[in-house]
C-alpha cells in the first residue's frame, strides 16, 4: 500500500481524512483497495480451533447475547499465540502480559468475510476473569452500546493528544463492564476498577460524542476526566492498592 498522508482522504471511502479514520488501523484497509481484508486472510483467523481457557466457556454459556443486545452474533475464542503467529495485520498483538495472560477482541473487519456470524476473541491459556470480562464488555458495547470496536479510536486520540483509554472505554462500555463483573462475581483489576469508578461518577465519554469527533468537546471531556482523577487520587489509590495491576500510588502531589 502506498504511503497515505495524514490529511489525505481515507482509502476506505468514508469521506474522512486519513488521520481521523484508519490512521493506526492500516491493517483494516484492503490489499485489494476495497477496504476489506481478503478472504484468505479472514479464513486464517476463522479457521483457528476454538479454545476453552479459564472461565471463557462458562461466561459465554451464561450470556444471552440476543436478550442483552438484540444481536444474533455469537462469540468464538481462539488461542492468542496462534492468532499472533498468523501475522494477519503485519504486527503481533500486544495484549499478552508478562505472566502470559491476556486477550484481544479481533476486529470484525478481519473475520466477517469468512464468518459474519461470530466475533472472535484471542485469549491465552492463563487468562484471568477480569481480562475475560473486559473483552466481553467490549463486545457487548459494540453490539448493544457505543457500536465501537476496541482500537478504532487510537488514531483520533493520537491526533487530539488525549489518553487513548478515554476514548477506548466510553460510557456504554463502563455499563457493560460493571454488569459483567456483577453477573460473574469478578473482582476487577486496578485499571478496570478505575473505569467502573469513573462510570459511576458520570465521567466517561459517551459513544455518540466520540462518533461526532468534535475536537473541542472531546478534549474538554478528557481534561475533565484528568481533573477528576487528580482530585480523587487519594480515594482511588485507597481502593485499588490491593488489586491486581496496581502500579504504585497515583496520589497527586501538591
Amino acid at each position: 500500500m502506498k504511503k497515505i498522508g495524514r490529511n489525505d482522504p481515507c482509502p476506505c471511502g468514508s469521506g474522512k481524512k486519513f488521520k481521523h479514520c484508519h490512521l493506526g488501523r492500516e491493517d483494516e484497509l484492503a490489499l485489494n483497495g476495497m477496504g476489506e481484508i481478503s478472504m484468505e486472510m479472514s479464513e486464517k483467523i476463522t479457521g483457528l480451533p476454538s479454545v476453552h481457557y479459564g472461565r471463557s466457556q462458562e461466561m459465554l454459556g451464561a450470556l444471552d447475547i440476543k436478550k442483552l443486545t438484540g444481536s444474533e452474533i455469537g462469540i468464538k475464542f481462539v488461542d492468542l499465540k496462534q492468532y499472533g503467529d498468523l501475522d494477519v495485520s503485519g504486527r503481533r498483538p500486544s495484549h499478552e502480559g508478562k505472566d502470559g495472560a491476556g486477550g484481544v477482541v479481533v476486529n470484525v473487519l478481519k473475520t466477517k468475510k469468512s464468518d459474519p456470524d461470530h466475533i472472535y476473541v484471542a485469549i491465552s491459556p492463563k487468562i484471568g476473569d477480569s481480562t475475560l470480562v473486559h473483552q466481553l464488555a467490549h463486545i457487548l458495547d459494540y453490539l448493544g452500546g457505543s457500536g465501537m470496536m476496541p482500537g478504532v479510536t487510537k488514531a483520533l486520540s493520537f491526533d487530539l493528544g488525549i489518553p487513548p483509554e478515554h476514548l477506548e472505554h466510553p460510557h456504554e462500555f463502563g455499563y457493560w463492564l460493571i454488569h459483567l463483573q456483577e453477573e460473574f462475581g469478578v473482582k476487577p483489576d486496578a485499571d478496570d476498577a478505575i473505569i467502573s469508578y469513573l462510570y459511576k461518577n458520570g465521567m466517561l465519554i459517551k459513544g455518540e460524542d466520540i462518533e461526532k469527533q468534535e475536537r473541542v468537546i472531546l478534549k474538554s471531556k478528557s481534561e475533565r476526566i484528568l481533573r477528576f482523577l487528580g482530585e480523587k487520587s487519594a480515594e482511588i489509590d485507597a481502593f485499588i492498592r490491593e488489586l491486581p495491576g496496581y502500579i504504585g500510588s497515583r496520589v497527586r502531589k501538591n
Side-chain angles (χ1 to χ4, degrees):
M1 182 181 295
K2 69 178 182 179
K3 184 174 177 60
I4 307 166
R6 287 169 53 82
N7 292 309
D8 290 343
C10 188
C12 76
S14 66
K16 300 176 183 178
K17 292 182 179 180
F18 180 55
K19 66 181 181 181
H20 291 319
C21 197
H22 274 87
L23 177 63
R25 299 186 292 123
E26 292 85 350
D27 56 296
E28 296 172 6
L29 295 174
L31 296 180
N32 61 12
M34 296 300 292
E36 297 177 353
I37 298 296
S38 70
M39 177 63 80
E40 180 183 4
M41 296 173 72
S42 181
E43 288 178 338
K44 285 183 178 180
I45 303 171
T46 59
L48 290 172
S50 296
V51 298
H52 313 293
Y53 302 149
R55 293 176 65 190
S56 58
Q57 286 305 109
E58 174 195 339
M59 291 184 182
L60 186 57
L63 282 179
D64 188 335
I65 296 176
K66 183 176 181 180
K67 181 178 180 180
L68 291 171
T69 69
S71 174
E72 299 279 359
I73 295 293
I75 298 172
K76 287 187 177 180
F77 293 99
V78 296
D79 184 81
L80 181 64
K81 184 179 185 302
Q82 290 182 353
Y83 171 62
D85 288 343
L86 292 178
D87 197 27
V88 294
S89 66
R91 58 181 182 272
R92 297 177 63 86
S94 58
H95 296 72
E96 187 165 354
K98 294 179 180 179
D99 59 355
V104 57
V105 177
V106 179
N107 193 297
V108 292
L109 293 180
K110 296 179 181 179
T111 58
K112 69 177 183 179
K113 201 158 194 172
S114 57
D115 186 2
D117 298 323
H118 294 89
I119 293 176
Y120 286 72
V121 187
I123 59 176
S124 66
K126 296 181 180 179
I127 191 165
D129 293 353
S130 62
T131 302
L132 272 171
V133 160
H134 187 99
Q135 302 307 327
L136 289 173
H138 272 305
I139 294 176
L140 294 181
D141 178 38
Y142 171 70
L143 296 174
S146 72
M148 294 187 298
M149 269 272 117
V152 301
T153 59
K154 182 169 62 175
L156 179 60
S157 63
F158 175 79
D159 188 59
L160 295 177
I162 65 179
E165 58 269 21
H166 290 185
L167 303 184
E168 180 83 352
H169 304 119
H171 175 83
E172 296 85 352
F173 171 84
Y175 168 81
W176 288 117
L177 180 66
I178 293 173
H179 173 84
L180 292 173
Q181 289 170 348
E182 294 176 349
E183 176 73 14
F184 297 112
V186 172
K187 185 178 183 179
D189 61 20
D191 288 335
D192 280 353
I194 293 174
I195 293 172
S196 298
Y197 182 75
L198 289 172
Y199 173 82
K200 292 175 181 178
N201 282 277
M203 300 301 299
L204 295 178
I205 304 173
K206 292 185 177 181
E208 60 182 338
D209 290 329
I210 299 172
E211 185 178 7
K212 292 175 183 176
Q213 296 191 16
E214 295 183 6
R215 300 172 63 89
V216 174
I217 291 177
L218 291 179
K219 287 180 71 69
S220 175
K221 289 182 179 291
S222 176
E223 291 168 359
R224 179 171 172 255
I225 292 174
L226 292 174
R227 285 197 302 271
F228 180 81
L229 290 173
E231 293 166 357
K232 302 292 184 178
S233 58
E235 180 180 341
I236 292 171
D237 190 70
F239 69 75
I240 68 170
R241 65 172 63 248
E242 301 300 327
L243 296 178
Y246 180 71
I247 59 175
S249 177
R250 308 183 192 194
V251 177
R252 183 172 63 180
K253 301 290 192 300
N254 293 322

